[in-house]
Amino acid sequence: MQERKTYLLNAANCETQSYNYRMTPDRNIHEATSCIPHSSTAAEVAKALGLDTAHGLTVAEVDEARSRYGANLLKAHPPANPVRILFKQFMSPVVYLLLGAAGFALLIGELTEFIAILAVLLINSGIGFVTELRAVRSMEALRHLSTRSVVVRRAGHIETIPAEQLVPGDIVIIDAGDVTAADMRIISSANLASDESALTGESLPVAKDVQPVAPDTPLADRTCMLFKGCAITRGTGEAIVTSTGMDTELGRISRLVEQSAPERSPLEKQLEVLSRHLIWVTVLVATAVGTAGMLAGQDVSLMVETSVALAVAAIPEGLPIVATLALARGMLRMARHNALIERLSAVETLGSTTVIMTDKTGTLTENRMHVDRIVTSDGELDFDRGSGRFLMAGHKVTAAGNDNLRLLLEGACLCNNASLGTKGQTSSGDPMEVSLLEAAHADGIERLTLLTSFPEVAEHAFDAATRMMATVHKDGRNFKIAVKGAPEAVLDRVKQVSTGNRSVSFDRHQKRHWKDVCEVLAAQGLRLLAVAGKTASKPDVQPYQDLTLFGVVAFQDPPRADVATAIADARQAGINVVMVTGDHAATAKHISQAVGLAPEGFTAIASHELKPYPEMSETEKARTRAAHVFSRVTPEQKLDLITLHQQAGDVVAMTGDGVNDAPALKKADIGIAMGLRGTQVAREAADMVLRDDAFSTIVQAIREGRIIYTNIRRFTTYLLSCNLSEILIVGLAVLAGLPLPLLPLQILFLNLVTDVFPAFALGTIEADRNVLAKPPKPPSEPILNKSQWITIVAGGSVIAATTLSSMVLATFVLGLRGDAITTMCFFTLSLAQLWHVFNIRNWREGLIFNQITRNTYVWLAITICLTILTIAALQPDIAGALRLTPLPGTAWGAIVGLSLIPVVVRELLAFGRRLQ
């Protein structure tokens, strides 16, 4: 192993030095010295750690370091405790109230009602338990990023050890394909590059070298450092471990994930407020009715039973069931549109979203590099990927008819290690090299065909020091050398410029021209490569001297085709879209303008311009909230941006795919992870996962969320109307000195059986076409506003009046007594509540043709409920439990007629309003 590494380093002409310093008692570079690894030379880092890099740590030094710093592991997060989650379902004021009602029922000997109330509690708690039982897996996913083993030099020997045994000061031997096991300072490198996209958001592998950078350099630009959890994509090298476990950048992010408390959804907050209001109403009504009844001389046991009935009537026991079913249905509908929901309440939160903070790469763009244009001495050629043609001023240009284009494409294919996929196989290699082969293929130039004519005899691999790559090919008696690399590096080695069949001198005017070309292209957010070459008489000449420039290739990760339309839809819906990316400002600015996210002339805010949230003035907060694009942001800054908008009252959706996004995904009101390219950490921290990584899917999910929120309002209004009618029926009857018109078990039956099906049907109503043409509801707006409360009070009052009328009719006209009276009241109320579903519509809509009557589920719910009521009336055991008795035909006629009165009253009021 040691010999292999030495050969690779020497082959790349990489100077490898060893640093020998006497060991100091405290080798922790962060504690013992002021040495900053990325801004210090490799020798300074070794000295700060008291380390001999050629020898490595001794056994005693390793043991001492392990006892001081512990294992190289991220902090374990205990899994969610199912028992604790189950008990949490009972920690609710509504549950306490129902438990009290169950206790009263047991005290007065109503065992059936006691069991029924407990069954309600178990059903509701069971649903909550199942939906909330999800272990906290983010920390476990972070730990999975650690490698199982690592190659180190200790006591002068190369050995392989488990990754968790690494300690600060270890010398690690690095090779392509490794996953970095700790944070490290590079001390030698040969063509080394690391994929840090999951940690920093940088979309392409980062070339690494030994040169220190400035102390305040952002994490993404610390080219002399390797970070835990990132994969080595190419090259070899050696590095000193500077941080392990929770002291690494990955550990820092895991701590942020742990500390980032997820925001409760607007629905959860609003339902809690609604529950508190219902409890106060229940306590006040039960107290008032009980006190009044006792003062009027009513029997104490009757008043206790009345209190139980009122408690049961005031609580919409079916609401948690219906809400869960409606949200679950929304989850299924969103899944059909490639949006997988992890948390039920996130479905509704989407509909309340006012700000979307989105990543660039893969969400707004295709996450795939393509050739955008080529510049030769002839001018600029645009590459139309759709047609596979090169266009100059709108006219087609081919390599066969343009020598400059042919020379550039041939050079780009020869100086290339990628391969195009064939017959359904995917392409492999560096993304930019793949895109060069695709562009050449579109014009009929194939790399394999070129290699047949010009066999490769040598390769000079890309080197971070030269920032260039070269290949040498046999060309008859001579040798063709193809070069590509960073434009500034290549231009410094160019002697002449190709103009087709001849070349011109690369004088200062030419150099200024090509530098201007590159600056203009770079300002548009394009990635650039210069392609050059030369002919030599022998293969071992210096490849990077006296080159002929063929041209410059500009690449971009193009915007998705549907993004501009999706952003326009979001804007129309009143949603502010903000790009938060780890990429460079120029690239972010170009893409944001291309998709219509930001206006012309705006300025992207870079990470170094962002103050911590607590240090911002009100003016700075306002300026930051108004910004559209943020570049090179850190995980902490993402948290600050989310907090900034949340404190201003916004509901924030955050997209992300990397480890660095996990804290923000957890902190946001709704975290949205990428399913195709997202890390496991990001997916576990998110509330929603996009299977297609498309921004348009987010907008579609928001549309679905708004539909669901509207429907939640509908069925909540319906259920509370029914509950209010029950409270009024029981309360008014007792205050009037009448017997109980409804029994507690009958109320439970209505709330849990006949009310649930129509309510769920209301949760399936389709939305208006202009659902995204309206602004999002204010986050502070309650789930029920003034118009809903008017419907609840008016509807509940009319239903109560109708039911009490049936009681009067049964007693004084039909001459019914005892359970027959409660039976008539029960069925009148049942049918009145059932028909009340048609009243939960916009007053502008007519009675016959509207969203409710066109919904198949509404008619199915009515059919099911009528069947259940028929069974309850005819089946002896059920009828006995509910204390239902047979009624004469005249009573049934009165029941049906009275139950339709609320619908008639509602339609007359709506008709009068439409006439105004």
Side-chain angles (χ1 to χ4, degrees):
M1 176 68 74
Q2 186 177 15
E3 292 179 357
R4 180 176 69 89
K5 295 292 179 181
T6 302
Y7 168 76
L8 288 170
L9 292 170
N10 290 338
N13 299 316
C14 174
E15 182 180 359
T16 304
Q17 299 180 3
S18 63
Y19 309 102
N20 186 1
Y21 298 98
R22 183 176 59 84
M23 289 298 297
T24 56
D26 191 340
R27 295 185 329 280
N28 188 317
I29 193 169
H30 303 295
E31 297 177 1
T33 74
S34 59
C35 176
I36 301 175
H38 64 267
S39 63
S40 305
T41 65
E44 290 170 341
V45 173
K47 184 177 181 179
L49 290 170
L51 181 65
D52 177 3
T53 59
H55 187 266
L57 300 178
T58 65
V59 174
E61 290 166 350
V62 169
D63 291 341
E64 189 272 336
R66 188 175 296 120
S67 65
R68 173 175 296 178
Y69 306 118
N72 178 31
L73 295 172
L74 298 177
K75 181 180 178 181
H77 194 97
N81 188 328
V83 176
R84 183 174 299 172
I85 293 176
L86 180 60
F87 275 106
K88 179 184 173 185
Q89 309 309 312
F90 293 92
M91 312 304 262
S92 163
V94 173
V95 173
Y96 302 153
L97 189 64
L98 286 175
L99 284 172
F104 276 125
L106 186 62
L107 284 175
I108 63 176
E110 295 290 346
L111 186 60
T112 303
E113 293 172 1
F114 168 75
I115 294 173
I117 296 174
L118 287 184
V120 170
L121 289 173
L122 290 176
I123 292 172
N124 286 348
S125 300
I127 291 174
F129 173 74
V130 171
T131 56
E132 289 189 21
L133 182 57
R134 189 179 66 164
V136 181
R137 294 176 294 226
S138 291
M139 297 304 102
E140 297 172 7
L142 284 166
R143 291 198 300 275
H144 292 161
L145 290 175
S146 300
T147 53
R148 293 186 178 181
S149 61
V150 63
V151 180
V152 298
R153 180 184 296 118
R154 286 180 175 175
H157 301 286
I158 301 296
E159 55 183 285
T160 301
I161 63 171
E164 60 266 24
Q165 294 183 11
L166 273 180
V167 296
D170 262 324
I171 303 299
V172 179
I173 313 299
I174 304 159
D175 199 358
D178 293 345
V179 176
T180 310
D183 286 2
M184 307 177 189
R185 173 58 165 89
I186 300 170
I187 58 176
S188 65
S189 67
N191 194 26
L192 193 63
S194 174
D195 179 3
E196 298 175 354
S197 57
L199 191 65
T200 66
E202 175 62 50
S203 54
L204 295 175
V206 179
K208 297 292 183 176
D209 56 39
V210 301
Q211 298 303 316
V213 295
D216 59 351
T217 301
L219 188 70
D221 297 324
R222 296 177 189 174
T223 53
C224 60
M225 297 293 295
L226 297 173
F227 301 106
K228 184 178 177 70
C230 297
I232 303 300
T233 58
R234 66 167 187 258
T236 58
E238 295 185 4
I240 303 173
V241 174
T242 57
S243 300
T244 57
M246 293 299 291
D247 290 328
T248 62
E249 292 296 329
L250 191 62
R252 179 177 62 85
I253 291 174
S254 77
R255 191 177 291 110
L256 287 176
V257 173
E258 188 176 12
Q259 294 171 352
S260 300
E263 291 292 313
R264 298 177 64 202
S265 76
L267 180 63
E268 291 170 331
K269 297 173 184 176
Q270 291 167 357
L271 288 179
E272 181 182 351
V273 171
L274 180 62
S275 298
R276 288 202 301 266
H277 291 165
L278 289 175
I279 290 170
W280 281 111
V281 169
T282 303
V283 172
L284 291 174
V285 171
T287 302
V289 172
T291 302
M294 291 180 184
L295 291 175
Q298 294 278 11
D299 183 68
V300 175
S301 61
L302 175 63
M303 290 300 96
V304 172
E305 186 176 7
T306 300
S307 297
V308 173
L310 287 171
V312 173
I315 304 301
E317 292 86 0
L319 182 56
I321 299 173
V322 176
T324 299
L325 292 174
L327 293 173
R329 180 176 179 271
M331 288 177 63
L332 294 176
R333 287 168 61 92
M334 289 183 182
R336 297 191 194 108
H337 295 285
N338 293 316
L340 303 180
I341 304 296
E342 297 283 343
R343 181 166 56 94
L344 273 179
S345 58
V347 175
E348 180 275 333
T349 306
L350 278 165
S352 306
T353 299
T354 58
V355 174
I356 300 175
M357 292 188 176
T358 178
D359 188 20
K360 175 187 69 69
T361 306
T363 307
L364 300 180
T365 66
E366 294 181 1
N367 192 29
R368 185 181 178 189
M369 278 291 173
H370 293 288
V371 172
D372 182 75
R373 69 196 76 169
I374 289 175
V375 181
T376 68
S377 58
D378 295 325
E380 187 174 291
L381 298 94
D382 294 317
F383 181 58
D384 183 349
R385 290 189 298 115
S387 62
R389 299 186 304 172
F390 287 97
L391 303 174
M392 180 179 289
H395 300 288
K396 181 180 178 181
V397 178
T398 64
N402 187 291
D403 287 338
N404 286 327
L405 179 60
R406 176 182 58 80
L407 289 170
L408 185 146
L409 292 177
E410 287 182 351
C413 286
L414 291 172
C415 188
N416 200 309
N417 286 322
S419 61
L420 287 180
T422 57
K423 296 181 180 180
Q425 296 179 343
T426 57
S427 301
S428 61
D430 181 87
M432 296 175 77
E433 290 190 336
V434 170
S435 65
L436 286 171
L437 294 183
E438 290 174 341
H441 172 76
D443 205 12
I445 297 177
E446 304 290 346
R447 181 171 186 268
L448 294 179
T449 303
L450 287 174
L451 289 176
T452 302
S453 302
F454 308 108
E456 182 177 315
V457 296
E459 176 180 323
H460 300 267
F462 177 86
D463 190 340
T466 63
R467 303 179 67 193
M468 290 182 288
M469 169 188 176
T471 54
V472 182
H473 304 265
K474 182 70 174 174
D475 183 12
R477 295 183 178 181
N478 295 318
F479 295 89
K480 182 192 293 286
I481 299 175
V483 176
K484 74 174 189 299
E488 56 270 29
V490 174
L491 294 181
D492 285 342
R493 311 297 179 92
V494 168
K495 183 178 181 181
Q496 53 194 8
V497 182
S498 170
T499 60
N501 54 6
R502 65 187 185 89
S503 299
V504 298
S505 175
F506 193 67
D507 56 23
R508 61 186 183 87
H509 297 292
Q510 284 282 346
K511 189 170 186 178
R512 181 68 265 168
H513 165 72
W514 283 99
K515 284 191 174 181
D516 289 344
V517 167
C518 293
E519 288 176 1
V520 170
L521 294 175
Q524 298 176 27
L526 301 173
R527 308 272 181 138
L528 306 179
L529 276 180
V531 181
K534 67 177 181 180
T535 300
S537 59
K538 53 184 180 179
D540 55 351
V541 298
Q542 169 54 250
Y544 303 129
Q545 290 180 353
D546 301 331
L547 297 175
T548 298
L549 179 66
F550 299 141
V552 173
V553 186
F555 304 82
Q556 76 160 330
D557 179 7
R560 288 176 175 264
D562 56 354
V563 163
T565 301
I567 289 179
D569 289 343
R571 286 268 175 78
Q572 185 183 25
I575 299 170
N576 182 27
V577 182
V578 180
M579 181 193 293
V580 182
T581 179
D583 216 331
H584 295 280
T587 305
K589 183 176 180 179
H590 174 70
I591 292 297
S592 65
Q593 289 181 325
V595 300
L597 189 150
E600 291 286 342
F602 83 101
T603 302
I605 296 181
S607 60
H608 66 271
E609 300 177 74
L610 278 175
K611 290 183 179 180
Y613 175 73
E615 299 177 14
M616 288 185 186
S617 66
E618 291 303 318
T619 301
E620 289 170 331
K621 289 179 181 179
R623 172 178 171 267
T624 305
R625 281 196 299 268
H628 297 284
V629 178
F630 298 87
S631 64
R632 307 302 267 180
V633 291
T634 66
E636 292 88 350
Q637 289 173 329
K638 290 180 181 180
L639 290 177
D640 281 348
L641 289 172
I642 292 172
T643 301
L644 179 69
H645 282 279
Q646 287 176 337
Q647 291 298 317
D650 286 312
V651 175
V652 181
M654 175 77 194
T655 74
D657 62 341
V659 175
N660 61 321
D661 295 318
L665 291 172
K666 191 174 178 183
K667 170 67 176 173
D669 295 286
I670 176 163
I672 304 171
M674 304 298 109
L676 294 178
R677 61 188 174 86
T679 60
Q680 182 182 356
V681 180
R683 290 195 293 268
E684 296 294 344
D687 304 300
M688 184 171 84
V689 176
L690 304 182
R691 289 193 294 193
D692 57 0
D693 291 9
F695 184 84
S696 58
T697 301
I698 301 175
V699 178
Q700 177 63 35
I702 288 175
R703 180 183 184 277
E704 192 68 33
R706 289 191 176 185
I707 295 172
I708 290 169
Y709 182 80
T710 300
N711 288 338
I712 287 175
R713 273 188 159 175
R714 279 196 178 98
F715 63 65
T716 303
T717 300
Y718 171 76
L719 289 173
L720 291 184
S721 299
C722 296
N723 282 91
L724 179 61
S725 68
E726 294 159 3
I727 292 173
L728 292 174
I729 291 166
V730 174
L732 292 175
V734 172
L735 291 175
L738 300 173
L740 279 180
L742 293 170
L743 303 176
L745 191 59
Q746 292 174 343
I747 297 173
L748 269 179
F749 183 86
L750 292 175
N751 288 355
L752 277 176
V753 181
T754 58
D755 287 355
V756 165
F757 292 103
F760 179 66
L762 289 173
T764 67
I765 303 296
E766 294 298 327
D768 297 329
R769 292 182 179 180
N770 61 345
V771 66
L772 284 180
K774 303 173 184 177
K777 70 175 186 65
S780 58
E781 182 178 302
I783 190 170
L784 299 175
N785 59 25
K786 182 180 177 180
S787 64
Q788 275 85 47
W789 280 114
I790 290 174
T791 301
I792 290 170
V793 173
S797 298
V798 176
I799 293 173
T802 299
T803 305
L804 290 173
S805 297
S806 74
M807 183 180 188
V808 173
L809 185 65
T811 304
F812 299 105
V813 177
L814 300 178
L816 302 180
R817 296 291 181 269
D819 288 344
I821 296 175
T822 58
T823 300
M824 186 166 176
C825 291
F826 171 79
F827 281 109
T828 302
L829 178 61
S830 301
L831 295 180
Q833 291 182 347
L834 197 56
W835 311 142
H836 183 54
V837 72
F838 296 108
N839 293 337
I840 311 300
R841 69 182 194 278
N842 192 299
W843 62 270
R844 297 182 182 87
E845 296 180 307
L847 176 63
I848 305 302
F849 300 105
N850 54 63
Q851 286 182 311
I852 308 297
T853 57
R854 287 193 293 265
N855 188 284
T856 305
Y857 291 105
V858 169
W859 295 107
L860 178 61
I862 290 174
T863 303
I864 292 173
C865 290
L866 289 175
T867 302
I868 291 173
L869 289 173
T870 302
I871 294 172
L874 298 179
Q875 211 284 329
D877 293 334
I878 299 176
L882 294 174
R883 292 168 62 176
L884 302 177
T885 62
L887 296 174
T890 53
W892 284 110
I895 288 170
V896 174
L898 288 169
S899 68
L900 291 172
I901 290 177
V903 177
V904 175
V905 171
R906 166 65 167 74
E907 180 55 27
L908 289 174
L909 292 173
F911 181 75
R913 190 172 179 183
R914 288 195 293 268
L915 291 178
Q916 293 178 1

